[in-house]
């Protein structure tokens, strides 16, 4: 079936329904997204920047996309950091001799000197104010600092992340400034079964005095150490970390298209990131985002529909170290006519709709697109002026309309960056609905008579700030996701 | 305040309210149970049978109970198994080379030969029928067997445990019979963040051909291995386990009393088990049960109330290896006049009431006791004829009335026998309410004019069967806990 261009999203009711039907249980494309992602993650596992498995994953994706018959399947080089975790061990020497704590070093952390154990007394603080006060009092010198910042995750299971990221991201150098020998942070997590959660941290500078080893401990251990200190007990740990920052490596953003039938040089972009942390398999963060983007393209192909414009899927690399692949892609493609950038990086759970960033005119078109998703209860088109995801941020910053998936992601931070980020977190039926949101949105916007109007340029922000910006915005996203801050 | 004996539980409204008030926020005894348990678990950690830490825990308890001024504080020797986990490692060789699986060996499992790695192909089956069919077909010989039995934990978060225990308990010898070289079981868990859950298993005999190494894998890994096999991939693992069954050791049940003012030789017994598995700290299983029993005694002491009869707290050892301490205690004390045995071993969460086992007459008295707990919504007195817990089972089997805590324990099997069984699972306010249920029940029953009437003897069942019996009963408990099977 070929369609004729139409002036308004509301003219696409039939097409939208066909896409949705093909992704509902028993439909032509049902259950595919989850199983395709399972095959990737079961085969390749996790895909941390600089690892051979990330390269294998890129090759895997290009190969299956070629086999599926997409257009213009190719990789695009991106230089990414290469951080290697190495062996890690944290054992309590006092008060509970021999207790082996579950830890995960933070991305970009250095190891302990020559990977050998550091033994030191622990100082537990609740926040940076306490750290600074105790630092000034000379209490931090020679200590292992643990920041046990407690956010009420039970009432704010997504939003707390934004409130906590600075403790993971900046704490090591802050503690180093006061003479700490290592830095521990309470895992940023909405639930725990003795589970540490890793993530990126950033040293204030490359100077040795700003750099000490940094790791996440479990919520349970953070609370236990705080109690021990409150009882006046002397807490002593032996920490060894073999982490290393190795020379940067080449990785590849992966690209596939379903070329437009009339305006192939105009592009609607669908995306998720292919890289992950080196624990779990990165099924949720962000295999799911990539899989629903991919499934949207597969569905249009299965229906034999080509929109007027090209629909392109990109699997980013380097997201976990600061949106590197997204930035590189923007730098290489900024002259192209990109009509809409779509991304999912907050969990491909049951969709509520989209968060939209762009001008008023485009927003009203997008709201009409949202109405096409009434049959699956995903009509929400929330506006926060920016969008939450990292990799499409450069486009949005120059006024290109952007959308990201809003889903029932209240459990996202139970699994995020942990051994638990595996296929069991995701549900086939929910991923199909999310793919339907992406497919309908991409197809309609790519097919409309007129391109979605561009909004105002609003300045890009610093390159290195992209990831942190995402994390700050997560605070607001928690609200939008719950429908509290929707315009 | 001293009370005068009264004929009916309904005469104790004032006393019950005083106990409850002392345990509500701001009350004389509020928040103590949780913090006392935290001090124990932070200091001693977990307490597996035969370990030095279990002995330290017994000494710790006796010392704090002495200091608190209880009567007749003492330990009673129990011979317990001494199983030592040793180092464990399970790495995938194919299809995902080098993937390190999170595993936990099962209690009583032997290690791999000399602790060295066993490398073998994996056979995933869904249940014992499949295992037997494939065994007969010669497909099990030389394999590592994984039983991936899937129960719908989301709708049956407690009851599934009873349906799954045979796969943990009996699978190794069943697989060994068909020539398997090692046995893996999907963790018995209602939630997972990449978390393995251990537990006891039992070999069919002491013959070498019945004994192969046995371990639990995570739910996520079990599902992944099943998918790999379904794709026709050859799954190969390298498993090493240093587990050893060492000579039995002495441990100590710990005992403290608040002696009766008129009939000190008649006893109401409150209890939980002190031993735990060797992961997490055994806060929930079963530190919480012991802590609320202890807190009930502390509360009566703080109120300066002595009942007519003695109230005795026992912290059992050897529960995790089959109710050994409970059985030993019964054998040593069966001639005593024990009026009521109370136990908590399914989580000291927000209480719903009690599960009662005993005759009709006693049950109607207990229902009246339950009515005293209306102020904290814990009036439920469910009857299942047996009760669920292991350690008081021998008493109930000979007709002694028994009660166990019913609580909102839907999350129990998310943490059970895992690294996540830590203080964070329990809430101070909920533990206080559970302690109030125990204190009111114990005080009223210990103080009533007439002793709670004994029920009929119903045969004890085999000693070694106690633990399994508990697990089978868990199936029914799930229902009772949800109020579905309450008489």
């Amino acid at each position: 079936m070929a369609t004729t261009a139409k002036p308004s999203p509301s003219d696409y009711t039939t097409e939208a329904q066909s896409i949705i039907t093909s992704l509902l249980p028993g439909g032509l494309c049902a259950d595919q997204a989850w199983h395709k992602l399972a095959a990737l993650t079961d085969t390749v596992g996790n895909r941390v920047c600089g690892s051979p498995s990330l390269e294998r994953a890129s090759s895997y994706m290009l190969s299956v996309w070629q086999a599926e018959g997409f257009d213009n399947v190719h990789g695009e080089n991106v230089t990414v950091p290469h951080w290697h975790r190495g062996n890690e061990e944290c054992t309590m020497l006092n008060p509970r001799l021999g207790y082996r704590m579950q830890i995960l070093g933070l991305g970009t952390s250095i190891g302990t000197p020559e990977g050998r154990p550091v033994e030191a007394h622990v100082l537990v603080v609740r926040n940076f104010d306490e750290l600074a006060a105790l630092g000034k009092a000379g209490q931090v010198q020679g200590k292992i600092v643990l920041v046990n910042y407690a956010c009420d995750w039970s009432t704010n299971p997504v939003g707390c992340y934004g409130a906590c990221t600075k403790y993971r991201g900046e704490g090591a150098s802050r503690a180093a400034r006061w003479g700490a020998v290592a830095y521990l942070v309470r895992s940023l997590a909405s639930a725990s079964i003795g589970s540490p959660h890793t993530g990126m941290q950033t040293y204030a500078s490359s100077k040795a005095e700003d750099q000490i080893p940094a790791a996440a401990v479990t919520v349970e251990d953070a609370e236990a150490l705080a109690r021990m200190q409150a009882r006046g007990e002397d807490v002593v740990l032996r920490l060894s970390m073999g982490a290393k920052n190795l020379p940067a490596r080449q990785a590849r953003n992966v690209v596939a298209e379903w070329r437009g039938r009339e305006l192939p040089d105009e592009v609607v972009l669908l995306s998720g990131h292919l890289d992950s942390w080196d624990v779990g398999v990165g099924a949720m963060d962000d295999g799911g985002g990539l899989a629903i983007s991919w499934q949207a393209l597969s569905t249009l192909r299965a229906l034999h529909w080509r929109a007027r414009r090209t629909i392109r899927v990109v699997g980013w690399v380097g997201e976990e170290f600061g949106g590197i692949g997204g930035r590189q892609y923007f730098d290489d493609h900024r002259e192209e006519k990109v009509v809409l950038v779509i991304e999912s990086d907050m969990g491909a759970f049951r969709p509520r709709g989209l968060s939209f960033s762009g001008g008023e005119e485009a927003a009203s078109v997008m709201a009409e697109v949202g109405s096409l998703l009434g049959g699956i209860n995903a009509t929400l088109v929330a506006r926060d002026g920016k969008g939450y995801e990292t990799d499409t941020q450069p486009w949005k910053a120059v006024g290109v309309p952007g959308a990201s998936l809003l889903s029932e992601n209240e459990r996202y931070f139970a699994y995020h960056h942990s051994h638990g980020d595996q296929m069991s977190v995701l549900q086939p039926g929910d991923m199909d609905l999310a793919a339907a949101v992406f497919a309908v949105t991409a197809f309609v916007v790519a097919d409309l008579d007129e391109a979605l109007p561009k909004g105002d340029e609003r300045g890009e922000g610093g390159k290195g700030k992209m990831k942190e910006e995402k994390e700050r915005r997560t605070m607001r996203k928690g609200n939008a996701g719950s429908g509290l801050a929707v315009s």
Side-chain angles (χ1 to χ4, degrees), chain A residues 347-368:
Chain A
F349 300 104
R350 183 171 291 253
R352 295 184 162 115
L354 295 169
S355 167
F356 180 70
S357 124
E360 288 302 322
E361 210 181 332
S364 74
V365 176
M366 289 297 289
E368 274 191 68

PDB file of all heavy atoms in Angstrom, chain A residues 347-368:
ATOM      1  N   GLY A 347      13.617   3.942  29.224  1.00  0.00           N
ATOM      2  CA  GLY A 347      12.891   2.692  29.407  1.00  0.00           C
ATOM      3  C   GLY A 347      11.777   2.519  28.394  1.00  0.00           C
ATOM      4  O   GLY A 347      10.914   3.372  28.266  1.00  0.00           O
ATOM      5  N   ALA A 348      11.796   1.393  27.675  1.00  0.00           N
ATOM      6  CA  ALA A 348      10.742   1.092  26.697  1.00  0.00           C
ATOM      7  C   ALA A 348       9.660   0.277  27.390  1.00  0.00           C
ATOM      8  O   ALA A 348       9.410  -0.878  27.067  1.00  0.00           O
ATOM      9  CB  ALA A 348      11.335   0.348  25.504  1.00  0.00           C
ATOM     10  N   PHE A 349       9.041   0.926  28.368  1.00  0.00           N
ATOM     11  CA  PHE A 349       7.942   0.295  29.095  1.00  0.00           C
ATOM     12  C   PHE A 349       6.627   0.665  28.407  1.00  0.00           C
ATOM     13  O   PHE A 349       6.622   1.267  27.339  1.00  0.00           O
ATOM     14  CB  PHE A 349       7.949   0.764  30.557  1.00  0.00           C
ATOM     15  CG  PHE A 349       9.227   0.430  31.283  1.00  0.00           C
ATOM     16  CD1 PHE A 349      10.180   1.407  31.536  1.00  0.00           C
ATOM     17  CD2 PHE A 349       9.484  -0.867  31.689  1.00  0.00           C
ATOM     18  CE1 PHE A 349      11.363   1.103  32.198  1.00  0.00           C
ATOM     19  CE2 PHE A 349      10.663  -1.186  32.352  1.00  0.00           C
ATOM     20  CZ  PHE A 349      11.604  -0.196  32.603  1.00  0.00           C
ATOM     21  N   ARG A 350       5.522   0.342  29.047  1.00  0.00           N
ATOM     22  CA  ARG A 350       4.216   0.660  28.464  1.00  0.00           C
ATOM     23  C   ARG A 350       4.146   2.167  28.228  1.00  0.00           C
ATOM     24  O   ARG A 350       4.354   2.962  29.143  1.00  0.00           O
ATOM     25  CB  ARG A 350       3.102   0.215  29.408  1.00  0.00           C
ATOM     26  CG  ARG A 350       1.695   0.427  28.862  1.00  0.00           C
ATOM     27  CD  ARG A 350       0.677  -0.234  29.756  1.00  0.00           C
ATOM     28  NE  ARG A 350       0.814  -1.682  29.663  1.00  0.00           N
ATOM     29  CZ  ARG A 350      -0.063  -2.468  29.026  1.00  0.00           C
ATOM     30  NH1 ARG A 350      -1.132  -1.942  28.449  1.00  0.00           N
ATOM     31  NH2 ARG A 350       0.121  -3.763  28.975  1.00  0.00           N
ATOM     32  N   PRO A 351       3.867   2.563  26.983  1.00  0.00           N
ATOM     33  CA  PRO A 351       3.976   3.992  26.660  1.00  0.00           C
ATOM     34  C   PRO A 351       2.791   4.814  27.142  1.00  0.00           C
ATOM     35  O   PRO A 351       1.657   4.350  27.151  1.00  0.00           O
ATOM     36  CB  PRO A 351       4.027   3.994  25.130  1.00  0.00           C
ATOM     37  CG  PRO A 351       3.284   2.769  24.726  1.00  0.00           C
ATOM     38  CD  PRO A 351       3.550   1.743  25.806  1.00  0.00           C
ATOM     39  N   ARG A 352       3.122   6.041  27.558  1.00  0.00           N
ATOM     40  CA  ARG A 352       2.076   7.026  27.851  1.00  0.00           C
ATOM     41  C   ARG A 352       1.944   8.007  26.689  1.00  0.00           C
ATOM     42  O   ARG A 352       0.934   8.658  26.538  1.00  0.00           O
ATOM     43  CB  ARG A 352       2.440   7.812  29.107  1.00  0.00           C
ATOM     44  CG  ARG A 352       2.489   6.979  30.366  1.00  0.00           C
ATOM     45  CD  ARG A 352       2.761   7.849  31.600  1.00  0.00           C
ATOM     46  NE  ARG A 352       2.401   7.140  32.816  1.00  0.00           N
ATOM     47  CZ  ARG A 352       3.265   6.762  33.762  1.00  0.00           C
ATOM     48  NH1 ARG A 352       4.543   7.060  33.645  1.00  0.00           N
ATOM     49  NH2 ARG A 352       2.861   6.110  34.824  1.00  0.00           N
ATOM     50  N   GLY A 353       3.012   8.138  25.929  1.00  0.00           N
ATOM     51  CA  GLY A 353       3.018   9.065  24.798  1.00  0.00           C
ATOM     52  C   GLY A 353       4.422   9.593  24.594  1.00  0.00           C
ATOM     53  O   GLY A 353       5.393   8.848  24.726  1.00  0.00           O
ATOM     54  N   LEU A 354       4.514  10.876  24.289  1.00  0.00           N
ATOM     55  CA  LEU A 354       5.803  11.472  23.977  1.00  0.00           C
ATOM     56  C   LEU A 354       6.004  12.747  24.770  1.00  0.00           C
ATOM     57  O   LEU A 354       5.050  13.439  25.131  1.00  0.00           O
ATOM     58  CB  LEU A 354       5.867  11.819  22.479  1.00  0.00           C
ATOM     59  CG  LEU A 354       5.813  10.647  21.495  1.00  0.00           C
ATOM     60  CD1 LEU A 354       5.616  11.170  20.067  1.00  0.00           C
ATOM     61  CD2 LEU A 354       7.087   9.802  21.581  1.00  0.00           C
ATOM     62  N   SER A 355       7.262  13.057  25.014  1.00  0.00           N
ATOM     63  CA  SER A 355       7.624  14.387  25.473  1.00  0.00           C
ATOM     64  C   SER A 355       8.133  15.133  24.249  1.00  0.00           C
ATOM     65  O   SER A 355       8.987  14.625  23.523  1.00  0.00           O
ATOM     66  CB  SER A 355       8.720  14.283  26.527  1.00  0.00           C
ATOM     67  OG  SER A 355       9.280  15.560  26.745  1.00  0.00           O
ATOM     68  N   PHE A 356       7.609  16.319  24.013  1.00  0.00           N
ATOM     69  CA  PHE A 356       7.951  17.031  22.786  1.00  0.00           C
ATOM     70  C   PHE A 356       8.712  18.302  23.082  1.00  0.00           C
ATOM     71  O   PHE A 356       8.421  19.026  24.032  1.00  0.00           O
ATOM     72  CB  PHE A 356       6.681  17.362  21.996  1.00  0.00           C
ATOM     73  CG  PHE A 356       6.973  18.099  20.726  1.00  0.00           C
ATOM     74  CD1 PHE A 356       7.594  17.452  19.667  1.00  0.00           C
ATOM     75  CD2 PHE A 356       6.664  19.453  20.602  1.00  0.00           C
ATOM     76  CE1 PHE A 356       7.896  18.133  18.496  1.00  0.00           C
ATOM     77  CE2 PHE A 356       6.968  20.140  19.430  1.00  0.00           C
ATOM     78  CZ  PHE A 356       7.579  19.479  18.378  1.00  0.00           C
ATOM     79  N   SER A 357       9.679  18.587  22.227  1.00  0.00           N
ATOM     80  CA  SER A 357      10.431  19.830  22.323  1.00  0.00           C
ATOM     81  C   SER A 357      10.424  20.495  20.957  1.00  0.00           C
ATOM     82  O   SER A 357      10.810  19.884  19.961  1.00  0.00           O
ATOM     83  CB  SER A 357      11.857  19.504  22.785  1.00  0.00           C
ATOM     84  OG  SER A 357      12.821  19.973  21.904  1.00  0.00           O
ATOM     85  N   GLY A 358       9.952  21.729  20.876  1.00  0.00           N
ATOM     86  CA  GLY A 358       9.895  22.426  19.594  1.00  0.00           C
ATOM     87  C   GLY A 358       8.957  23.612  19.698  1.00  0.00           C
ATOM     88  O   GLY A 358       8.457  23.931  20.780  1.00  0.00           O
ATOM     89  N   GLY A 359       8.695  24.238  18.575  1.00  0.00           N
ATOM     90  CA  GLY A 359       7.867  25.437  18.567  1.00  0.00           C
ATOM     91  C   GLY A 359       6.379  25.123  18.696  1.00  0.00           C
ATOM     92  O   GLY A 359       5.961  23.966  18.636  1.00  0.00           O
ATOM     93  N   GLU A 360       5.593  26.181  18.846  1.00  0.00           N
ATOM     94  CA  GLU A 360       4.148  26.039  19.049  1.00  0.00           C
ATOM     95  C   GLU A 360       3.474  25.336  17.878  1.00  0.00           C
ATOM     96  O   GLU A 360       2.611  24.481  18.048  1.00  0.00           O
ATOM     97  CB  GLU A 360       3.496  27.421  19.222  1.00  0.00           C
ATOM     98  CG  GLU A 360       3.810  28.085  20.541  1.00  0.00           C
ATOM     99  CD  GLU A 360       3.394  27.233  21.736  1.00  0.00           C
ATOM    100  OE1 GLU A 360       2.331  26.575  21.676  1.00  0.00           O
ATOM    101  OE2 GLU A 360       4.158  27.200  22.713  1.00  0.00           O
ATOM    102  N   GLU A 361       3.872  25.746  16.681  1.00  0.00           N
ATOM    103  CA  GLU A 361       3.210  25.232  15.488  1.00  0.00           C
ATOM    104  C   GLU A 361       3.438  23.723  15.363  1.00  0.00           C
ATOM    105  O   GLU A 361       2.502  22.944  15.161  1.00  0.00           O
ATOM    106  CB  GLU A 361       3.793  25.948  14.265  1.00  0.00           C
ATOM    107  CG  GLU A 361       2.830  26.104  13.117  1.00  0.00           C
ATOM    108  CD  GLU A 361       3.529  26.811  11.939  1.00  0.00           C
ATOM    109  OE1 GLU A 361       4.475  27.606  12.182  1.00  0.00           O
ATOM    110  OE2 GLU A 361       3.149  26.527  10.794  1.00  0.00           O
ATOM    111  N   ALA A 362       4.709  23.333  15.541  1.00  0.00           N
ATOM    112  CA  ALA A 362       5.032  21.902  15.479  1.00  0.00           C
ATOM    113  C   ALA A 362       4.328  21.147  16.598  1.00  0.00           C
ATOM    114  O   ALA A 362       3.844  20.022  16.408  1.00  0.00           O
ATOM    115  CB  ALA A 362       6.542  21.704  15.581  1.00  0.00           C
ATOM    116  N   ALA A 363       4.233  21.779  17.759  1.00  0.00           N
ATOM    117  CA  ALA A 363       3.599  21.110  18.895  1.00  0.00           C
ATOM    118  C   ALA A 363       2.145  20.794  18.607  1.00  0.00           C
ATOM    119  O   ALA A 363       1.630  19.739  19.004  1.00  0.00           O
ATOM    120  CB  ALA A 363       3.719  21.975  20.149  1.00  0.00           C
ATOM    121  N   SER A 364       1.473  21.688  17.897  1.00  0.00           N
ATOM    122  CA  SER A 364       0.059  21.409  17.645  1.00  0.00           C
ATOM    123  C   SER A 364      -0.084  20.282  16.626  1.00  0.00           C
ATOM    124  O   SER A 364      -1.011  19.478  16.713  1.00  0.00           O
ATOM    125  CB  SER A 364      -0.690  22.678  17.235  1.00  0.00           C
ATOM    126  OG  SER A 364      -0.353  23.026  15.921  1.00  0.00           O
ATOM    127  N   VAL A 365       0.855  20.182  15.692  1.00  0.00           N
ATOM    128  CA  VAL A 365       0.845  19.030  14.781  1.00  0.00           C
ATOM    129  C   VAL A 365       1.088  17.741  15.577  1.00  0.00           C
ATOM    130  O   VAL A 365       0.399  16.733  15.394  1.00  0.00           O
ATOM    131  CB  VAL A 365       1.926  19.188  13.683  1.00  0.00           C
ATOM    132  CG1 VAL A 365       1.982  17.935  12.799  1.00  0.00           C
ATOM    133  CG2 VAL A 365       1.661  20.434  12.846  1.00  0.00           C
ATOM    134  N   MET A 366       2.064  17.797  16.484  1.00  0.00           N
ATOM    135  CA  MET A 366       2.398  16.607  17.274  1.00  0.00           C
ATOM    136  C   MET A 366       1.229  16.178  18.159  1.00  0.00           C
ATOM    137  O   MET A 366       1.006  14.982  18.378  1.00  0.00           O
ATOM    138  CB  MET A 366       3.641  16.871  18.130  1.00  0.00           C
ATOM    139  CG  MET A 366       4.925  16.958  17.328  1.00  0.00           C
ATOM    140  SD  MET A 366       5.360  15.415  16.455  1.00  0.00           S
ATOM    141  CE  MET A 366       5.832  14.389  17.845  1.00  0.00           C
ATOM    142  N   ALA A 367       0.491  17.144  18.681  1.00  0.00           N
ATOM    143  CA  ALA A 367      -0.674  16.796  19.502  1.00  0.00           C
ATOM    144  C   ALA A 367      -1.689  16.033  18.663  1.00  0.00           C
ATOM    145  O   ALA A 367      -2.322  15.080  19.135  1.00  0.00           O
ATOM    146  CB  ALA A 367      -1.293  18.052  20.099  1.00  0.00           C
ATOM    147  N   GLU A 368      -1.818  16.440  17.398  1.00  0.00           N
ATOM    148  CA  GLU A 368      -2.719  15.706  16.495  1.00  0.00           C
ATOM    149  C   GLU A 368      -2.202  14.295  16.234  1.00  0.00           C
ATOM    150  O   GLU A 368      -2.979  13.340  16.152  1.00  0.00           O
ATOM    151  CB  GLU A 368      -2.833  16.438  15.151  1.00  0.00           C
ATOM    152  CG  GLU A 368      -3.878  17.525  15.119  1.00  0.00           C
ATOM    153  CD  GLU A 368      -4.106  17.995  13.683  1.00  0.00           C
ATOM    154  OE1 GLU A 368      -4.648  17.207  12.878  1.00  0.00           O
ATOM    155  OE2 GLU A 368      -3.696  19.135  13.359  1.00  0.00           O
TER     156      GLU A 368
END
